[in-house]
Amino acid sequence: MNRIIFAVCKLGWIAAGWLVVTGAYASSPVTTVVTSAPVRFILTFDDGPDGRDQENPTASILNMLAENPTQKNIKAIFFLQTRSKEGGATTRGRALLEREQADGHVLALHDGSTLGHPNHCKLSEEVLEQSLNDGVADIRSLSHQPITLLRPPYWDYNERTLGAYARHNLAVLLTDISVNDGKVWGYHGSPRRHIHMVSEMTHVRERIWRGEIPKVEGVTPIVVTLHDTNDFTAEHMQEYLQMLVDEARKAGLTLAAKPFYEDGAALERAALVRAHDTTHRADMVPRTWSWLNRLFG
Ligand SMILES: [Zn+2]
Protein backbone atom coordinates (compact mmCIF):
# COMPACT_ATOMS: atom_id res chain seq x y z
CA MET A 1 0.00 0.00 0.00
CA ASN A 2 2.80 2.37 0.95
CA ARG A 3 4.49 1.63 -2.37
CA ILE A 4 1.29 2.53 -4.24
CA ILE A 5 0.97 5.83 -2.33
CA PHE A 6 4.63 6.59 -3.00
CA ALA A 7 4.20 5.88 -6.71
CA VAL A 8 1.12 8.14 -6.91
CA CYS A 9 3.00 10.94 -5.10
CA LYS A 10 5.97 10.50 -7.40
CA LEU A 11 3.76 10.73 -10.48
CA GLY A 12 2.23 13.88 -9.00
CA TRP A 13 5.61 15.51 -8.56
CA ILE A 14 6.68 14.53 -12.08
CA ALA A 15 3.46 16.05 -13.46
CA ALA A 16 3.98 19.24 -11.41
CA GLY A 17 7.56 19.46 -12.64
CA TRP A 18 6.42 19.08 -16.24
CA LEU A 19 3.88 21.90 -15.76
CA VAL A 20 6.55 24.22 -14.39
CA VAL A 21 9.14 23.34 -17.02
CA THR A 22 6.74 23.71 -19.93
CA GLY A 23 5.02 26.78 -18.53
CA ALA A 24 1.66 25.06 -18.92
CA TYR A 25 0.51 26.65 -15.66
CA ALA A 26 0.68 30.08 -17.31
CA SER A 27 -2.81 29.61 -18.75
CA SER A 28 -4.21 29.83 -15.20
CA PRO A 29 -6.00 33.17 -14.58
CA VAL A 30 -4.16 33.55 -11.23
CA THR A 31 -0.42 33.32 -11.74
CA THR A 32 1.42 31.22 -9.19
CA VAL A 33 4.61 32.90 -8.03
CA VAL A 34 7.16 30.93 -6.06
CA THR A 35 9.09 33.20 -3.71
CA SER A 36 11.66 31.98 -1.26
CA ALA A 37 10.28 34.23 1.45
CA PRO A 38 6.64 35.21 1.98
CA VAL A 39 5.55 38.83 1.90
CA ARG A 40 4.91 40.94 5.01
CA PHE A 41 3.79 44.55 4.78
CA ILE A 42 5.61 47.44 6.48
CA LEU A 43 2.74 49.87 7.07
CA THR A 44 3.84 53.52 7.17
CA PHE A 45 1.88 56.74 7.73
CA ASP A 46 3.04 60.23 6.74
CA ASP A 47 2.25 63.79 7.88
CA GLY A 48 0.77 63.07 11.32
CA PRO A 49 -0.27 63.34 13.96
CA ASP A 50 -3.57 65.11 13.38
CA GLY A 51 -4.37 67.78 15.97
CA ARG A 52 -8.18 67.87 15.91
CA ASP A 53 -10.04 67.27 19.16
CA GLN A 54 -13.05 65.66 17.48
CA GLU A 55 -13.15 62.88 14.86
CA ASN A 56 -9.38 62.67 14.81
CA PRO A 57 -8.16 60.40 11.96
CA THR A 58 -4.85 59.54 13.66
CA ALA A 59 -6.71 58.31 16.76
CA SER A 60 -9.15 56.35 14.61
CA ILE A 61 -6.29 54.67 12.70
CA LEU A 62 -4.51 53.75 15.95
CA ASN A 63 -7.74 52.10 17.16
CA MET A 64 -8.07 50.21 13.88
CA LEU A 65 -4.47 48.96 13.89
CA ALA A 66 -5.02 47.54 17.38
CA GLU A 67 -8.35 45.88 16.62
CA ASN A 68 -9.60 44.86 13.19
CA PRO A 69 -10.78 41.68 11.42
CA THR A 70 -7.68 41.32 9.18
CA GLN A 71 -4.97 41.21 11.86
CA LYS A 72 -4.93 42.53 15.42
CA ASN A 73 -2.13 44.52 17.06
CA ILE A 74 -0.50 45.71 13.83
CA LYS A 75 2.56 47.93 14.35
CA ALA A 76 3.31 50.75 11.93
CA ILE A 77 5.94 53.41 11.28
CA PHE A 78 4.74 57.01 11.68
CA PHE A 79 6.75 59.63 9.75
CA LEU A 80 5.95 62.68 11.85
CA GLN A 81 5.73 66.42 11.39
CA THR A 82 6.62 67.14 14.99
CA ARG A 83 6.01 70.91 15.00
CA SER A 84 3.08 71.22 12.61
CA LYS A 85 0.65 73.86 13.86
CA GLU A 86 -2.23 71.55 12.90
CA GLY A 87 -0.78 68.43 14.49
CA GLY A 88 2.48 67.76 16.29
CA ALA A 89 2.52 71.15 18.02
CA THR A 90 -1.03 70.84 19.40
CA THR A 91 -2.01 69.35 22.77
CA ARG A 92 -4.04 66.64 21.03
CA GLY A 93 -1.22 65.90 18.61
CA ARG A 94 1.29 65.61 21.42
CA ALA A 95 -0.99 63.17 23.26
CA LEU A 96 -1.29 61.06 20.10
CA LEU A 97 2.50 60.95 19.74
CA GLU A 98 2.68 59.62 23.29
CA ARG A 99 0.03 57.04 22.45
CA GLU A 100 1.88 55.92 19.30
CA GLN A 101 4.97 55.39 21.44
CA ALA A 102 3.04 53.59 24.22
CA ASP A 103 1.29 51.34 21.67
CA GLY A 104 4.67 50.10 20.37
CA HIS A 105 4.73 51.80 16.97
CA VAL A 106 7.94 53.17 15.44
CA LEU A 107 8.28 56.97 15.55
CA ALA A 108 10.26 58.40 12.64
CA LEU A 109 10.82 61.84 11.13
CA HIS A 110 9.14 63.56 8.18
CA ASP A 111 9.90 67.15 9.17
CA GLY A 112 10.71 69.00 12.38
CA SER A 113 10.03 72.59 11.30
CA THR A 114 7.01 74.88 11.64
CA LEU A 115 6.98 75.42 7.86
CA GLY A 116 4.12 73.06 7.11
CA HIS A 117 5.28 70.39 4.66
CA PRO A 118 8.49 71.85 3.17
CA ASN A 119 10.53 70.28 0.39
CA HIS A 120 13.91 69.74 2.09
CA CYS A 121 15.75 70.21 -1.21
CA LYS A 122 14.48 73.80 -1.27
CA LEU A 123 15.49 74.64 2.32
CA SER A 124 18.78 76.35 3.12
CA GLU A 125 21.46 74.31 4.85
CA GLU A 126 20.75 76.08 8.15
CA VAL A 127 16.96 75.69 8.06
CA LEU A 128 17.19 72.01 7.14
CA GLU A 129 19.70 71.42 9.91
CA GLN A 130 17.41 73.13 12.43
CA SER A 131 14.46 71.04 11.24
CA LEU A 132 16.41 67.81 11.70
CA ASN A 133 17.81 68.86 15.09
CA ASP A 134 14.36 69.84 16.39
CA GLY A 135 12.53 66.85 14.91
CA VAL A 136 15.00 64.33 16.32
CA ALA A 137 14.89 66.04 19.75
CA ASP A 138 11.05 66.10 19.72
CA ILE A 139 10.77 62.39 19.01
CA ARG A 140 13.61 61.44 21.31
CA SER A 141 11.89 63.19 24.21
CA LEU A 142 9.09 60.64 23.76
CA SER A 143 10.91 57.46 22.78
CA HIS A 144 14.18 57.97 24.70
CA GLN A 145 15.84 56.01 21.89
CA PRO A 146 17.88 56.95 18.80
CA ILE A 147 15.70 57.99 15.83
CA THR A 148 16.74 55.87 12.87
CA LEU A 149 14.38 56.58 9.97
CA LEU A 150 13.35 59.58 7.87
CA ARG A 151 11.11 60.03 4.86
CA PRO A 152 11.58 63.29 2.96
CA PRO A 153 8.43 65.28 2.10
CA TYR A 154 7.42 64.87 -1.58
CA TRP A 155 9.88 61.92 -1.82
CA ASP A 156 12.44 64.47 -2.94
CA TYR A 157 16.14 64.26 -2.06
CA ASN A 158 19.55 65.19 -3.43
CA GLU A 159 23.20 64.77 -2.47
CA ARG A 160 23.01 67.70 -0.04
CA THR A 161 19.90 66.52 1.83
CA LEU A 162 21.15 62.92 1.91
CA GLY A 163 24.37 64.22 3.48
CA ALA A 164 22.38 66.09 6.15
CA TYR A 165 20.28 63.01 6.95
CA ALA A 166 23.41 60.86 7.20
CA ARG A 167 25.01 63.28 9.69
CA HIS A 168 21.99 62.63 11.95
CA ASN A 169 22.19 58.85 11.34
CA LEU A 170 18.79 58.95 9.68
CA ALA A 171 18.23 56.27 7.02
CA VAL A 172 15.87 57.25 4.19
CA LEU A 173 12.90 54.92 3.78
CA LEU A 174 10.85 55.50 0.63
CA THR A 175 8.08 53.11 -0.45
CA ASP A 176 7.08 50.17 -2.63
CA ILE A 177 3.35 50.87 -2.61
CA SER A 178 1.91 54.38 -2.42
CA VAL A 179 -1.76 53.92 -1.70
CA ASN A 180 -2.66 57.40 -3.06
CA ASP A 181 -5.16 57.77 -0.24
CA GLY A 182 -6.30 61.19 -1.33
CA LYS A 183 -4.07 63.48 0.72
CA VAL A 184 -1.63 64.63 -1.91
CA TRP A 185 -4.22 65.74 -4.43
CA GLY A 186 -5.90 68.17 -2.08
CA TYR A 187 -9.29 66.44 -1.91
CA HIS A 188 -10.44 63.70 0.39
CA GLY A 189 -11.12 60.78 -1.84
CA SER A 190 -9.58 58.01 -3.87
CA PRO A 191 -12.15 56.73 -6.36
CA ARG A 192 -9.60 54.63 -8.27
CA ARG A 193 -8.07 53.07 -5.17
CA HIS A 194 -8.77 49.48 -6.18
CA ILE A 195 -7.41 49.76 -9.71
CA HIS A 196 -4.40 51.63 -8.36
CA MET A 197 -3.69 48.91 -5.77
CA VAL A 198 -3.76 46.21 -8.48
CA SER A 199 -1.24 48.21 -10.49
CA GLU A 200 1.03 48.80 -7.48
CA MET A 201 0.93 45.12 -6.45
CA THR A 202 1.78 43.98 -9.99
CA HIS A 203 4.76 46.33 -9.97
CA VAL A 204 5.93 44.95 -6.61
CA ARG A 205 5.61 41.38 -7.87
CA GLU A 206 7.83 42.19 -10.85
CA ARG A 207 10.45 43.72 -8.55
CA ILE A 208 10.38 40.63 -6.31
CA TRP A 209 10.83 38.47 -9.41
CA ARG A 210 13.84 40.52 -10.42
CA GLY A 211 15.37 39.99 -6.96
CA GLU A 212 15.28 43.71 -6.13
CA ILE A 213 13.66 43.40 -2.70
CA PRO A 214 15.89 41.86 -0.01
CA LYS A 215 14.57 39.30 2.42
CA VAL A 216 14.76 40.09 6.13
CA GLU A 217 14.36 37.52 8.90
CA GLY A 218 12.50 35.06 6.70
CA VAL A 219 10.09 37.44 4.98
CA THR A 220 10.06 39.87 2.04
CA PRO A 221 9.16 43.23 3.62
CA ILE A 222 7.03 45.45 1.35
CA VAL A 223 6.70 49.12 2.32
CA VAL A 224 3.20 50.64 2.06
CA THR A 225 2.45 54.36 2.51
CA LEU A 226 -0.75 56.05 3.71
CA HIS A 227 -1.54 59.36 5.49
CA ASP A 228 -2.94 59.34 9.03
CA THR A 229 -4.07 62.99 8.78
CA ASN A 230 -6.56 62.01 6.10
CA ASP A 231 -10.22 61.45 7.09
CA PHE A 232 -10.73 59.26 4.03
CA THR A 233 -7.88 56.97 5.07
CA ALA A 234 -9.27 56.64 8.60
CA GLU A 235 -12.74 55.84 7.28
CA HIS A 236 -11.40 53.20 4.87
CA MET A 237 -8.57 51.73 6.96
CA GLN A 238 -10.12 48.29 7.28
CA GLU A 239 -10.81 48.23 3.54
CA TYR A 240 -7.17 49.13 2.83
CA LEU A 241 -5.80 46.40 5.15
CA GLN A 242 -7.96 43.74 3.54
CA MET A 243 -7.27 45.09 0.03
CA LEU A 244 -3.52 44.68 0.57
CA VAL A 245 -3.98 41.05 1.61
CA ASP A 246 -6.48 40.23 -1.14
CA GLU A 247 -4.59 41.89 -3.98
CA ALA A 248 -1.27 40.35 -2.93
CA ARG A 249 -2.87 36.90 -3.14
CA LYS A 250 -4.52 37.68 -6.47
CA ALA A 251 -1.12 38.80 -7.79
CA GLY A 252 0.21 35.34 -6.86
CA LEU A 253 2.34 36.48 -3.94
CA THR A 254 2.70 34.20 -0.94
CA LEU A 255 1.85 36.02 2.29
CA ALA A 256 3.40 35.41 5.70
CA ALA A 257 1.08 33.85 8.28
CA LYS A 258 0.96 37.34 9.81
CA PRO A 259 0.80 39.69 6.76
CA PHE A 260 1.60 42.75 8.91
CA TYR A 261 4.26 43.30 11.57
CA GLU A 262 3.15 42.98 15.17
CA ASP A 263 6.55 43.62 16.75
CA GLY A 264 7.92 47.17 16.59
CA ALA A 265 11.58 46.13 16.86
CA ALA A 266 11.29 43.60 14.01
CA LEU A 267 9.44 46.22 11.96
CA GLU A 268 12.24 48.75 12.47
CA ARG A 269 14.95 46.20 11.60
CA ALA A 270 13.20 45.32 8.35
CA ALA A 271 12.67 48.99 7.50
CA LEU A 272 16.34 49.74 8.10
CA VAL A 273 17.44 46.98 5.72
CA ARG A 274 15.16 48.44 3.04
CA ALA A 275 16.35 51.99 3.78
CA HIS A 276 20.04 51.05 3.55
CA ASP A 277 19.52 49.36 0.17
CA THR A 278 20.58 52.48 -1.74
CA THR A 279 20.97 50.54 -5.01
CA HIS A 280 17.19 50.43 -5.39
CA ARG A 281 16.33 53.73 -3.68
CA ALA A 282 15.26 55.46 -6.88
CA ASP A 283 12.83 52.60 -7.59
CA MET A 284 11.14 53.34 -4.25
CA VAL A 285 9.90 56.80 -5.25
CA PRO A 286 6.23 56.57 -6.28
CA ARG A 287 6.21 56.71 -10.06
CA THR A 288 4.11 59.88 -10.33
CA TRP A 289 6.37 61.73 -7.89
CA SER A 290 9.51 60.49 -9.59
CA TRP A 291 8.24 62.07 -12.81
CA LEU A 292 7.12 65.32 -11.08
CA ASN A 293 10.39 65.72 -9.16
CA ARG A 294 12.41 65.27 -12.36
CA LEU A 295 10.22 67.81 -14.13
CA PHE A 296 10.10 70.51 -11.43
CA GLY A 297 12.99 69.58 -9.09
ZN1 LIG B 1 4.24 64.19 3.57
Side-chain angles (χ1 to χ4, degrees):
M1 184 64 182
N2 283 345
R3 278 189 186 172
I4 294 170
I5 292 170
F6 177 74
V8 170
C9 289
K10 201 172 175 183
L11 278 173
W13 280 108
I14 291 168
W18 179 82
L19 285 170
V20 170
V21 169
T22 59
Y25 67 95
S27 61
S28 168
V30 176
T31 310
T32 300
V33 181
V34 179
T35 57
S36 56
V39 162
R40 180 172 290 151
F41 295 111
I42 294 178
L43 271 192
T44 70
F45 293 89
D46 287 3
D47 297 354
D50 192 274
R52 279 172 280 177
D53 286 324
Q54 303 293 326
E55 298 181 1
N56 185 298
T58 301
S60 169
I61 285 168
L62 287 171
N63 293 341
M64 185 62 78
L65 293 177
E67 186 69 47
N68 69 80
T70 305
Q71 184 182 320
K72 293 179 181 178
N73 295 318
I74 296 172
K75 303 303 179 215
I77 302 174
F78 288 87
F79 287 98
L80 306 164
Q81 297 190 88
T82 61
R83 300 199 177 191
S84 162
K85 295 179 188 101
E86 297 170 349
T90 64
T91 305
R92 176 71 161 147
R94 190 79 186 164
L96 285 166
L97 290 176
E98 289 173 3
R99 180 177 167 194
E100 287 168 2
Q101 173 66 22
D103 285 358
H105 298 292
V106 176
L107 305 190
L109 186 59
H110 203 36
D111 183 68
S113 74
T114 57
L115 300 170
H117 190 262
N119 184 328
H120 288 177
C121 295
K122 295 184 165 50
L123 297 182
S124 70
E125 194 80 32
E126 294 74 24
V127 174
L128 176 57
E129 189 64 18
Q130 191 68 52
S131 167
L132 298 178
N133 272 331
D134 290 343
V136 167
D138 293 340
I139 298 172
R140 192 153 189 166
S141 71
L142 293 161
S143 69
H144 306 292
Q145 291 172 355
I147 314 309
T148 61
L149 292 161
L150 174 140
R151 174 174 290 154
Y154 306 105
W155 314 99
D156 204 7
Y157 59 88
N158 58 29
E159 287 296 316
R160 184 177 68 91
T161 59
L162 290 176
Y165 303 150
R167 284 196 296 279
H168 288 267
N169 293 316
L170 293 165
V172 175
L173 184 70
L174 301 177
T175 200
D176 300 310
I177 294 175
S178 178
V179 173
N180 279 6
D181 47 331
K183 173 71 177 176
V184 294
W185 302 113
Y187 67 93
H188 287 185
S190 185
R192 296 181 72 253
R193 59 189 177 279
H194 192 262
I195 293 168
H196 177 72
M197 183 70 81
V198 172
S199 166
E200 293 284 271
M201 203 63 76
T202 304
H203 188 58
V204 161
R205 183 186 65 189
E206 288 165 1
R207 291 180 55 221
I208 292 174
W209 273 353
R210 292 197 296 265
E212 294 176 2
I213 301 182
K215 298 163 189 66
V216 186
E217 298 176 19
V219 298
T220 304
I222 302 299
V223 186
V224 179
T225 298
L226 302 109
H227 296 81
D228 62 290
T229 49
N230 192 347
D231 298 325
F232 185 89
T233 307
E235 288 160 12
H236 294 78
M237 199 60 230
Q238 171 53 32
E239 181 186 335
Y240 278 128
L241 292 175
Q242 195 57 45
M243 196 191 296
L244 282 163
V245 169
D246 291 344
E247 291 309 322
R249 288 191 178 126
K250 283 185 197 165
L253 294 170
T254 303
L255 284 172
K258 295 282 176 77
F260 300 93
Y261 282 85
E262 58 182 15
D263 176 71
L267 171 67
E268 188 169 14
R269 287 196 298 274
L272 280 169
V273 170
R274 297 301 315 277
H276 286 302
D277 177 21
T278 55
T279 308
H280 298 110
R281 179 179 282 156
D283 299 325
M284 293 179 71
V285 175
R287 285 166 285 175
T288 306
W289 284 102
S290 177
W291 179 77
L292 286 171
N293 287 338
R294 274 204 299 273
L295 198 62
F296 299 110

